Amino acid sequence: MPYEAPHLKIFEGDINPVVLVVGDPFRAEIVATKFCDNFKELSFNREYRSYNVEFEGTKLSICSHGIGGPGAMLCFEELIKCGAKVIIRLGTCGSLKPDTIKTGDLVVSTGAAREDGVTQYLVPSGFPAVADINIALALYNTAKSLGIDNCHLGISLSSALFYPGPCEDSTMLKNATAGALSIEMENAPLFAVASVRSIRAAAIGTVDGSPLRWDEGDYDPHGDACKKGKELMFTVGLAVAKQLALGQYGLTNAEVTDLRDENKCLELAYDKWEDDLYHAVTTIRSKVRNFTVDAPNLSGETLRKNALELEHRITRYKSQQKVDFDSITAEEERLGGLLENATKRFSKWQQSVFLAGSPKKYDPAAYQSKSEDPRLEEIRRAIMKIADQVAREGGRTGGWSVADHDAFLKVVNGRQHQWSGTELLRDNEIIDRIVWKLPSQLGREEVEEHIRWWYRHNELEADKRALMEQYKERKDVWQKKRGAAEEADFQAERRAADKRKAAEEAARLDRKRLIEQWKKEKEEAQVREQAAAADRPTTADVTQAEIERRRRNRQRIVAYREEKLRREEEDRKLNRQREAVARRCRSMERTKFEQRNAEVIRRMTRVRSQREVMEIKTERKERKVAWIAAQLSAPYDSVVSRLYETTASQKGRVKAREVEEKEQEELLEREREKS
């Protein structure tokens, strides 16, 4: 069963890997409906509102996280559990550099100071909260490429406190002095969660004011400047999210690791294949040599058997080598396809606008350190060239096995005189001794070729050692020069920092002076107001006419109130009378209704009793007739028929009488109603 986020109210797999998060749920609606092509709302629970959107053919997700670190961290955790791999926060922030970072500017956070009140329970106290540097640079470069010059890159302060209190001093000034550019509430939780859960995260914010100048009115989160900055922020965030979703930032770390592991496995397979090949060739060569030596002393049957065995061994060796070679070739082709795909993706990344302000291709020379010594680079290339040549010629053993090369070195190094390669090649005794000492029993020509290689190898190694000595000496000299240059740069930076600090101190004193001036002007205004109040006329200065006018006004007010109370009392009295009349009417109607019901019940009872009497009389007559008929032995049917006729006529008369009585009662009822 898929995981269901209890607070976001979404399921695992509902969202896309790249998610944009905002604080306000209605800001999430604005981004989804006004900046994206298609959108679908997934849920809206508490402050968490989530959408799946499509931006320029790319599928993204948008979610709101509310205000504050704990609630935002809850949102980030559930997003990750539901499938988020990249989270970019688009929010608002306050400026800690109000002189240079104004309302409406954009700030890309590379890291956050952790005063959010929640990350200390997730990571150790000294653990940094940093953004994914590639995404942060992509946000910054995208903003610059879109012509947004007021975009800044630096550290932010994630604070759990929005309104400072009178008891504790705020740390805003300390963090601003340390280099923080902005203050917000959710970046540090986002970066910490991303680091712990192994995903990528970044944040960009729009400045809505400066908390250092709130007293001066520098806070306008709903103004035109902030609104325009938010629109630019949405544009930048969606552009970067699109590129991330398309995978144009090169290979991921996992993909690079997989390629590196596969390449290493392929190299090991090649090495093993070469070792097996060399061992098999050596074994077969030894078998052939032994077979050639022993052939004159063997019988025909044994010779034939050994030849067949040798042929079978060679055939099996060829088939095995073909299988190994085919498997390695297939693996090489597969890795070649992966490499080609990676190259295409890297080419797209080079052409994107995120490496620089304009779509320029990657130039390695542009990224080469300007302080690198050209001579050191030349020496390094020469050393690498020698190393490549040594590797091409067979490495440190010249293509021989380690055992054969060690045996060769024992014979050559055991000589008393150090001869040149030409002299050694002329010494047949030494060559024969080498051939005799080799475990693989190689031929004379192979030994001579190995001697030539050995002398070339020694010359290359000597050249390499000389170049290494030159490289070390040159590097020591260059490091000393660079150290002096770095020290000079450090001193220059320190002087610049001192100047900036002095300028900031002067600005602070200027602000303090302005605040004191404002307070002084405010006090003077209060004094003027008090003086004006003292100059107003008092009660003693009021004339007799004014007193009379006020008295008449009070009398009119009292009379009006009394008249109003009298009218209200009359209205209440009239309402009580109306209610009493209504109650009496309802009582009379109820009495008439009860009387009519009683009369109807009496009539029904009388009619029912009359019917019962008639039935009793009829039954008695039937019994009497039956008895008489039995006595007279008369036909019973004739007697009964006459009796029924008599009874029917009586019933008709009774019914007519009932109808007449009913009509009379109705007539009486109508007359009673009229009266």
Side-chain angles (χ1 to χ4, degrees):
M1 184 175 181
Y3 168 78
E4 180 183 5
H7 300 90
L8 300 185
K9 296 298 182 182
I10 58 177
F11 290 90
E12 182 180 0
D14 286 350
I15 62 172
N16 296 301
V18 181
V19 183
L20 298 173
V21 294
V22 296
D24 188 359
F26 297 100
R27 192 182 304 159
E29 181 183 7
I30 291 173
V31 177
T33 57
K34 295 186 178 180
F35 289 85
C36 298
D37 303 329
N38 297 314
F39 66 92
K40 177 184 178 183
E41 185 174 4
L42 300 178
S43 67
F44 190 2
N45 183 47
R46 298 189 179 185
E47 67 267 37
Y48 308 117
R49 191 173 192 176
S50 55
Y51 289 87
N52 272 346
V53 300
E54 186 174 348
F55 176 73
E56 296 181 359
T58 306
K59 294 183 178 180
L60 307 171
S61 293
I62 299 172
C63 185
S64 61
H65 56 68
I67 299 176
M73 180 179 285
L74 184 150
C75 174
F76 303 149
E77 290 279 6
E78 293 189 358
L79 284 174
I80 294 170
K81 290 183 179 180
C82 291
K85 302 299 181 184
V86 179
I87 299 178
I88 301 176
R89 179 177 177 268
L90 311 178
T92 56
C93 60
S95 172
L96 296 182
K97 305 288 185 182
D99 295 332
T100 56
I101 302 177
K102 306 293 185 180
T103 301
D105 289 7
L106 302 183
V107 179
V108 178
S109 178
T110 57
R114 292 171 43 216
E115 295 184 7
D116 52 274
V118 66
T119 54
Q120 65 266 30
Y121 303 107
L122 181 68
V123 294
S125 59
F127 192 87
V130 294
D132 187 284
I133 189 62
N134 292 327
I135 303 179
L137 290 176
L139 290 168
Y140 180 75
N141 291 330
T142 302
K144 292 296 184 181
S145 66
L146 294 175
I148 306 173
D149 296 330
N150 54 346
C151 183
H152 311 273
L153 183 70
I155 297 173
S156 64
L157 167 63
S158 294
S159 175
L161 183 66
F162 191 85
Y163 293 106
C167 301
E168 296 290 338
D169 295 334
S170 175
T171 61
M172 287 189 296
L173 287 175
K174 294 181 180 179
N175 284 277
T177 305
L181 302 184
S182 62
I183 180 172
E184 35 70 38
M185 305 181 78
E186 296 88 6
N187 284 357
L190 173 60
F191 299 157
V193 169
S195 179
V196 172
R197 306 303 178 194
S198 300
I199 69 164
R200 307 173 72 186
I204 182 172
T206 302
V207 177
D208 56 8
S210 175
L212 301 177
R213 295 182 179 178
W214 275 358
D215 295 338
E216 303 174 16
D218 190 2
Y219 181 58
D220 189 13
H222 306 295
D224 294 338
C226 187
K227 183 178 180 181
K228 183 178 179 181
K230 290 177 183 177
E231 293 177 354
L232 295 175
M233 176 182 65
F234 298 153
T235 303
V236 173
L238 287 169
V240 174
K242 173 190 173 183
Q243 300 299 327
L244 285 170
L246 293 176
Q248 293 189 2
Y249 285 106
L251 298 175
T252 62
N253 293 333
E255 292 173 334
V256 172
T257 303
D258 293 341
L259 280 176
R260 188 181 294 115
D261 294 341
E262 291 178 355
N263 186 30
K264 187 175 181 180
C265 293
L266 183 61
E267 290 178 356
L268 293 176
Y270 265 122
D271 294 340
K272 184 177 182 303
W273 180 67
E274 289 178 353
D275 293 341
D276 294 343
L277 177 63
Y278 179 79
H279 179 71
V281 170
T282 304
T283 304
I284 292 175
R285 184 180 295 170
S286 176
K287 289 282 186 180
V288 171
R289 186 181 293 110
N290 295 335
F291 177 75
T292 305
V293 173
D294 298 338
N297 302 325
L298 297 177
S299 62
E301 185 65 25
T302 304
L303 189 63
R304 180 175 176 277
K305 183 178 179 181
N306 290 341
L308 291 175
E309 181 182 357
L310 185 60
E311 183 179 0
H312 177 67
R313 184 184 293 273
I314 293 174
T315 304
R316 186 173 57 186
Y317 158 73
K318 288 182 178 180
S319 61
Q320 182 63 35
Q321 290 301 314
K322 185 177 184 305
V323 171
D324 293 343
F325 183 78
D326 291 342
S327 63
I328 293 176
T329 303
E331 185 69 16
E332 186 178 10
E333 290 178 355
R334 188 181 70 83
L335 285 177
L338 290 175
L339 182 60
E340 184 179 0
N341 187 20
T343 304
K344 291 180 180 179
R345 293 175 64 182
F346 188 73
S347 299
K348 290 182 180 179
W349 179 54
Q350 289 176 349
Q351 297 171 1
S352 66
V353 298
F354 301 106
L355 287 175
S358 59
K360 297 179 180 179
K361 290 190 176 181
Y362 175 70
D363 185 10
Y367 290 88
Q368 188 176 358
S369 177
K370 300 298 183 181
S371 61
E372 187 70 25
D373 187 6
R375 178 57 183 164
L376 284 176
E377 187 64 25
E378 292 178 2
I379 297 174
R380 187 185 298 112
R381 284 198 294 268
I383 293 173
M384 295 302 297
K385 185 176 180 181
I386 292 174
D388 292 341
Q389 184 176 354
V390 170
R392 286 196 303 270
E393 292 182 357
R396 66 183 186 86
T397 62
W400 281 18
S401 65
V402 177
D404 290 342
H405 186 66
D406 291 342
F408 169 79
L409 292 178
K410 287 181 181 179
V411 175
V412 174
N413 294 332
R415 294 180 295 110
Q416 296 180 356
H417 303 285
Q418 295 293 331
W419 293 343
S420 64
T422 306
E423 294 174 348
L424 186 60
L425 289 173
R426 294 174 182 173
D427 192 345
N428 296 326
E429 182 181 356
I430 295 296
I431 294 175
D432 293 338
R433 189 183 304 171
I434 292 172
V435 172
W436 181 73
K437 289 285 186 179
L438 292 179
S440 300
Q441 298 181 2
L442 299 176
R444 184 183 181 88
E445 295 179 355
E446 295 176 350
V447 173
E448 292 177 354
E449 181 62 29
H450 196 69
I451 292 172
R452 297 188 187 93
W453 166 84
W454 185 62
Y455 276 99
R456 286 197 308 272
H457 179 72
N458 289 339
E459 292 174 356
L460 291 175
E461 288 294 330
D463 295 341
K464 184 178 179 181
R465 285 192 295 271
L467 290 173
M468 289 295 295
E469 292 294 333
Q470 294 180 14
Y471 183 82
K472 289 180 181 179
E473 294 175 358
R474 185 76 179 184
K475 188 175 182 180
D476 292 339
V477 174
W478 181 252
Q479 284 181 348
K480 291 179 181 179
K481 292 182 180 179
R482 189 168 59 181
E486 289 178 354
E487 181 65 23
D489 294 341
F490 173 74
Q491 294 296 336
E493 291 179 359
R494 187 172 181 179
R495 288 192 295 272
D498 293 340
K499 289 182 180 179
R500 288 195 301 270
K501 188 174 181 180
E504 291 176 358
E505 183 66 20
R508 187 183 66 81
L509 294 176
D510 191 15
R511 288 197 301 271
K512 185 176 180 180
R513 181 182 58 78
L514 292 175
I515 292 172
E516 291 177 354
Q517 182 179 356
W518 173 75
K519 289 182 179 179
K520 185 177 180 180
E521 292 176 355
K522 189 175 181 181
E523 291 175 357
E524 292 176 355
Q526 290 178 355
V527 171
R528 288 195 298 270
E529 181 66 23
Q530 292 175 1
D535 294 339
R536 294 192 186 98
T538 60
T539 307
D541 299 331
V542 179
T543 61
Q544 187 66 27
E546 181 68 19
I547 294 174
E548 184 65 23
R549 185 181 64 80
R550 293 180 181 178
R551 186 181 62 78
R552 287 196 300 271
N553 288 339
R554 285 195 296 271
Q555 289 178 354
R556 282 197 294 270
I557 291 171
V558 171
Y560 172 75
R561 290 177 179 175
E562 291 177 353
E563 180 66 20
K564 184 178 180 181
L565 292 174
R566 186 182 62 78
R567 290 180 180 178
E568 290 178 354
E569 183 63 27
E570 290 179 355
D571 292 340
R572 285 195 293 270
K573 186 176 180 180
L574 182 60
N575 290 334
R576 286 196 296 270
Q577 292 176 357
R578 289 175 180 172
E579 291 178 358
V581 171
R583 283 197 299 272
R584 285 196 298 272
C585 292
R586 286 195 296 271
S587 178
M588 292 174 63
E589 290 177 357
R590 190 182 301 109
T591 304
K592 290 181 180 179
F593 179 74
E594 291 175 354
Q595 290 176 358
R596 286 197 300 271
N597 286 344
E599 183 67 24
V600 171
I601 292 171
R602 283 196 299 272
R603 287 199 300 270
M604 291 176 65
T605 304
R606 186 171 62 252
V607 171
R608 191 181 297 111
S609 62
Q610 290 177 359
R611 288 179 181 175
E612 291 177 355
V613 169
M614 290 295 295
E615 290 176 356
I616 292 171
K617 289 180 179 180
T618 304
E619 186 179 358
R620 288 178 180 177
K621 287 181 180 180
E622 289 179 355
R623 287 200 299 269
K624 186 175 181 180
V625 171
W627 181 79
I628 293 171
Q631 294 294 329
L632 299 176
S633 300
Y636 178 75
D637 295 337
S638 61
V639 176
V640 172
S641 61
R642 288 196 300 272
L643 181 60
Y644 279 161
E645 290 176 359
T646 305
T647 304
S649 61
Q650 291 178 355
K651 288 183 178 180
R653 288 193 298 273
V654 171
K655 188 173 183 180
R657 193 181 303 111
E658 290 177 356
V659 172
E660 185 178 357
E661 291 177 356
K662 186 175 181 181
E663 291 177 354
Q664 291 177 359
E665 290 176 357
E666 291 178 355
L667 182 60
L668 291 174
E669 184 68 25
R670 285 196 296 271
E671 291 178 354
R672 191 181 295 111
E673 289 178 356
K674 290 179 181 180
S675 62

